[in-house]
Amino acid sequence: MWQWIVSPEKAPDKAAEVEIGFEAGLPVSVNGAKANPIDLLNTLNEVAAKHGIGRTDIVENRLVGMKSRGAYETPGGTLLVTAHRELEALTVDRETAHFQQALSLRYAELVYYGLWFAPLRAALDGFFSVAQQRVTGAVGLKLWKGTLTVTKRVSPFSLYRTDLASFTMGRYNPKDAEGFINLFALPVTVRPKEKSPNRPRLTP
């Protein structure tokens, strides 16, 4: 079944390190060397396939409604998706990231159904072009016998701040959470403590 990617058992014993650079969500470099999209993907395909990365065996839902098994080989694509997702986690704010997850599924569905030229697909491009504006930086990956590990995430637009994430008495004061918790819990705490109304039973 597998024609391209070597089995993890036969992959090299020495791990490979890859760094993928992005600008506004688009991959632009591998290990610091700029490359056009085709050369970049070819480079990633070669190294990922050599180290057993990118085999996908799934049961999928076809457009006509049936389920089918799909065995795909996507070595370079696996590296790109993993690195891009990690950089988004670092640079995209929470609300945009959560909303983007839902739209990404719809976008993928449109493409899968062959509706690339549909007006909705073009409209979604407008959202993603804005959402990806700050997805710039680099992600390091370690490839070893079919496993993929993230080694670094760097970006000039990183939203991660150690003084906030550490929950110390710096910019983040844990005592501020007390009032937030009280307010956030209001809808639950003010509900009358009474039994649920009796629901009519359905008789056969």
Side-chain angles (χ1 to χ4, degrees):
M1 182 185 300
W2 308 112
Q3 302 295 317
W4 188 4
I5 300 171
V6 304
S7 65
E9 294 83 0
K10 295 181 180 179
D13 293 330
K14 183 179 180 180
E17 298 278 349
V18 176
E19 181 185 288
I20 304 176
F22 293 85
E23 291 181 4
L26 298 177
V28 295
S29 66
V30 177
N31 294 332
K34 294 282 186 176
N36 63 60
I38 294 178
D39 291 339
L40 184 146
L41 183 57
N42 285 337
T43 298
L44 296 179
N45 278 334
E46 182 178 354
V47 65
K50 177 182 177 181
H51 288 271
I53 306 294
R55 289 183 177 182
T56 303
D57 187 342
I58 62 174
V59 174
E60 56 187 324
N61 295 302
R62 290 292 179 90
L63 173 62
V64 294
M66 70 177 69
K67 288 187 180 291
S68 65
R69 181 187 178 191
Y72 302 101
E73 294 184 288
T74 57
T78 299
L79 300 188
L80 284 173
V81 169
T82 300
H84 184 261
R85 183 181 295 121
E86 293 296 325
L87 193 58
E88 282 186 322
L90 192 67
T91 58
V92 179
D93 67 279
R94 183 190 66 182
E95 296 304 315
T96 301
H98 288 178
F99 192 65
Q100 182 175 267
Q101 288 178 344
L103 293 187
S104 295
L105 292 175
R106 187 69 178 105
Y107 193 101
E109 186 179 60
L110 287 172
V111 176
Y112 182 78
Y113 290 168
L115 300 175
W116 178 261
F117 296 103
L120 177 57
R121 198 279 307 167
L124 289 175
D125 273 352
F127 168 82
F128 287 114
S129 65
V130 173
Q132 295 294 305
Q133 286 178 352
R134 298 170 68 88
V135 185
T136 295
V139 175
L141 302 171
K142 181 179 179 180
L143 294 65
W144 185 74
K145 290 189 176 296
T147 62
L148 189 57
T149 305
V150 177
T151 58
K152 75 172 184 179
R153 313 167 186 83
V154 293
S155 171
F157 302 114
S158 173
L159 297 176
Y160 177 77
R161 298 290 183 272
T162 54
D163 57 339
L164 292 175
S166 62
F167 294 95
T168 60
M169 299 299 289
R171 292 179 58 188
Y172 177 86
N173 188 345
K175 290 185 64 66
D176 294 339
E178 183 178 352
F180 167 78
I181 293 172
N182 290 334
L183 290 174
F184 197 71
L186 273 178
V188 177
T189 58
V190 300
R191 290 183 63 183
K193 294 182 178 180
E194 58 185 23
K195 294 182 180 180
S196 299
N198 294 326
R199 295 181 178 180
R201 293 185 177 182
L202 297 178
T203 56

